[in-house]
Amino acid sequence: MYIGIDDTDSRDHYCTTYVGTILQEELEKTYLMDTPKLIRMNPMVKYKTRGNGGVCLRIIEDEKKLNESEIESIKKLVIKTVEKFSDFDCENTNPGIVFLSEENYQKNQKTLLNYYNSVLYDILKVEYSEKILNEIGAEYIKYKKGHGIIGALGAIASKPPFTYELLAYRKSEKWGTEREIDIDSIIKMDTDTFPFTFNNIDGKKSIITPHTPCPVLYGIRGISREILEKAKNTVKSDELDKCQVYITNQGTDVHLRFSKINDIYPDTGVISYGKIVENPKEITGGHVLFKMKDDTGEIDCIAYEPTKEFRNIVRKLNCGDLVGVYGTVREDPFEINIEKLKIVTLQKIYEKNKFCECGGTLKAKGLKSGYKCNICGKRVNYDQIKLNEVKRDIKEGFYEVPPSARRHLSKPLVLYDFDLENIR
Ligand code: ATP
């Protein structure tokens, strides 16, 4: 039996993973439980609280199938827990619960796969999710506007590639207070476990702790459970209330698809290749923007101010460079928000050699008169001046925004060495 839950929290209260963790703890007292999943969906969804995440729990029925009364009591428990830990007062909190039997899950693999793709790439309507839920024989509960069913089904429908996140929760009396966590221990944990854990720190700043008053104390992302356990034991913090390892699609780039420029539409994620046709320029607010073109069209690509030193790479690009841009697309202004940049080939750039053999400088005297040396008077025709290749202060290769500017779903370059398809 699959249980999907989403949209229970607000910026001020609770966390959907906390509901998942409480339920997991309760259900595993009686049933064999699969590892719970924390699934991030289209990051362009406007009414998300933080990282657009939903959770999925699964009761494994390989040995013993659930009977009717067990199913009923599981549903009751889930409903009671979601209702207890949802912030119904927040306008933007519209919880949703989905129940799907193992049989219907197995029977509807193709529909679920298509749904997972659309919840990652597109903006869906509640009615669309309801149609799919009815089609696959799922049961669902909508609270208020019921947006939560969109992500609740998305979490159930997810498939590899995956990574893991260990979520540590604090005691309820500590919710809303400042988190006590020793930064040196986080740095040590990162040194000891990187690259098997990732996105722990940015420079000397921790990025494993949220800034909201929620139950989460910290979350460590990684590619194996064992390494996460080791990492947890290194971090010194407030007393932990609970701890749960989730399987997650974080750090996998599953929100991005290869796309020709003409096919790009707003609120989706793309990987597009093209040549730069307008040099990078500074935009108010510290952002850097360039224009890219392929054989189907042109699009602006932007590195926002929070991407900090990454903008220095973008600033060094030049017309004619062939690049791959990884990112999400804004509607207005219509542009790609760059998450990663692949510089495939750098255009050779030349400048006029204005040095005369005598040591003087060749001065331009107009298109017809060419250049004249300011010391020996030697003349050089306008189109005969020598050209020197300018050394580019940048290398071909793959570049990414710093950890603190990364989306949950963005795949850090360091993870390209690992097979994330076999995590399940
Ligand atoms: P947190 O990360 O703290 O759990 P959140 O950022 O996940 O919060 P939610 O409160 O879950 O934010 O709100 C996101 C809402 O968007 C949910 O109702 C979810 O069902 C819905 N949603 C998810 N994916 C899509 C999508 N592709 N199209 C439309 N709605 C979506």
Side-chain angles (χ1 to χ4, degrees):
M1 179 184 190
Y2 289 78
I3 303 160
I5 304 165
D6 198 3
D7 210 345
T8 61
D9 55 14
S10 66
R11 278 190 188 278
D12 299 324
H13 293 106
Y14 309 128
C15 173
T16 304
T17 71
Y18 185 71
V19 181
T21 297
I22 290 186
L23 281 169
Q24 177 81 8
E25 269 184 4
E26 201 49 41
L27 290 169
E28 67 193 2
K29 288 180 190 160
T30 318
Y31 306 104
L32 183 61
M33 298 297 291
D34 205 350
T35 309
K37 291 199 177 100
L38 160 59
I39 301 301
R40 305 285 176 180
M41 284 152 272
N42 188 345
M44 299 308 283
V45 164
K46 300 216 166 47
Y47 37 78
K48 67 182 177 183
T49 313
R50 288 177 291 250
N52 196 12
V55 305
C56 166
L57 309 181
R58 178 180 169 227
I59 300 161
I60 300 174
E61 295 172 78
D62 295 353
E63 310 265 287
K64 184 181 161 291
K65 277 184 84 63
L66 294 169
N67 63 38
E68 279 309 311
S69 90
E70 285 173 322
I71 293 174
E72 276 321 300
S73 75
I74 291 166
K75 284 184 192 162
K76 268 199 195 135
L77 172 74
V78 173
I79 292 167
K80 197 175 100 195
T81 313
V82 167
E83 290 181 357
K84 182 168 174 199
F85 293 104
S86 288
D87 188 2
F88 288 106
D89 293 338
C90 172
E91 199 201 326
N92 265 341
T93 300
N94 296 287
I97 308 173
V98 170
F99 299 109
L100 183 67
S101 69
E102 189 68 50
E103 193 189 345
N104 284 338
Y105 177 88
Q106 295 303 342
K107 267 206 315 229
N108 292 288
Q109 288 293 298
K110 206 160 163 240
T111 311
L112 289 169
L113 178 61
N114 289 338
Y115 185 83
Y116 183 47
N117 286 334
S118 47
V119 86
L120 287 166
Y121 303 145
D122 292 318
I123 304 293
L124 306 183
K125 290 204 155 51
V126 174
E127 299 74 45
Y128 174 74
S129 299
E130 284 188 285
K131 183 178 139 301
I132 302 291
L133 286 161
N134 290 327
E135 211 175 287
I136 63 175
E139 267 184 71
Y140 58 95
I141 300 163
K142 295 189 298 176
Y143 295 90
K144 296 163 69 187
K145 293 180 194 148
H147 287 157
I149 59 166
I150 303 174
L153 180 57
I156 293 177
S158 61
K159 58 157 191 75
F162 289 132
T163 60
Y164 295 99
E165 178 162 1
L166 179 147
L167 282 159
Y169 302 92
R170 49 191 179 157
K171 301 231 176 265
S172 57
E173 57 270 24
K174 290 278 188 169
W175 299 356
T177 65
E178 203 165 315
R179 290 169 176 81
E180 278 172 41
I181 184 154
D182 174 37
I183 178 68
D184 291 336
S185 73
I186 299 174
I187 294 171
K188 176 167 173 22
M189 176 275 282
D190 184 72
T191 313
D192 291 353
T193 59
F194 183 85
F196 307 105
T197 67
F198 56 93
N199 292 354
N200 297 315
I201 50 169
D202 194 343
K204 292 207 170 318
K205 209 179 92 204
S206 159
I207 49 172
I208 66 169
T209 38
H211 300 290
T212 47
C214 74
V216 175
L217 180 54
Y218 60 80
I220 309 174
R221 294 152 277 235
I223 57 147
S224 90
R225 292 163 203 267
E226 296 71 32
I227 208 84
L228 288 177
E229 200 53 41
K230 177 177 170 190
K232 181 188 85 176
N233 293 335
T234 309
V235 172
K236 297 192 187 108
S237 69
D238 264 342
E239 193 186 344
L240 302 190
D241 180 28
K242 306 173 187 305
C243 208
Q244 178 66 54
V245 171
Y246 276 86
I247 282 183
T248 160
N249 59 355
Q250 292 168 170
T252 61
D253 270 355
V254 283
H255 62 309
L256 307 180
R257 289 176 282 184
F258 283 101
S259 187
K260 283 286 190 182
I261 290 175
N262 195 38
D263 296 332
I264 297 177
Y265 55 87
D267 294 330
T268 194
V270 296
I271 302 172
S272 286
Y273 281 77
K275 280 202 168 159
I276 293 177
V277 287
E278 264 177 37
N279 275 346
K281 60 179 180 207
E282 303 290 320
I283 300 288
T284 319
H287 321 307
V288 182
L289 183 98
F290 64 82
K291 199 183 282 297
M292 171 177 89
K293 183 179 187 319
D294 70 3
D295 54 343
T296 68
E298 293 183 351
I299 193 161
D300 284 336
C301 305
I302 188 162
Y304 282 106
E305 190 280 332
T307 65
K308 302 291 177 202
E309 64 273 16
F310 173 74
R311 292 169 303 163
N312 291 336
I313 304 293
V314 176
R315 286 183 178 111
K316 289 175 187 164
L317 294 171
N318 203 89
C319 277
D321 292 344
L322 176 63
V323 294
V325 173
Y326 290 56
T328 43
V329 185
R330 264 182 73 164
E331 177 164 22
D332 190 17
F334 185 60
E335 59 198 15
I336 307 177
N337 169 4
I338 313 170
E339 294 171 15
K340 277 193 287 281
L341 178 74
K342 191 165 202 165
I343 304 180
V344 184
T345 46
L346 288 168
Q347 175 77 4
K348 284 191 189 300
I349 306 178
Y350 297 94
E351 66 181 7
K352 290 173 181 163
N353 180 358
K354 292 190 181 163
F355 294 106
C356 181
E357 288 126 4
C358 76
T361 307
L362 297 168
K363 300 274 185 195
K365 295 289 171 194
L367 206 55
K368 283 194 183 139
S369 321
Y371 296 85
K372 187 179 171 195
C373 175
N374 64 348
I375 295 180
C376 70
K378 179 182 165 184
R379 285 187 175 273
V380 179
N381 283 343
Y382 195 77
D383 55 0
Q384 278 173 351
I385 193 156
K386 279 195 199 140
L387 296 175
N388 284 344
E389 190 179 334
V390 179
K391 193 172 175 303
R392 299 288 303 268
D393 184 21
I394 183 176
K395 288 197 168 67
E396 288 156 0
F398 221 163
Y399 298 88
E400 63 187 336
V401 303
S404 57
R406 266 173 224 160
R407 290 197 184 282
H408 290 287
L409 280 167
S410 290
K411 184 169 180 171
L413 294 181
V414 72
L415 290 196
Y416 279 77
D417 289 338
F418 301 112
D419 175 15
L420 308 178
E421 290 290 339
N422 284 322
I423 294 177
R424 60 192 72 234

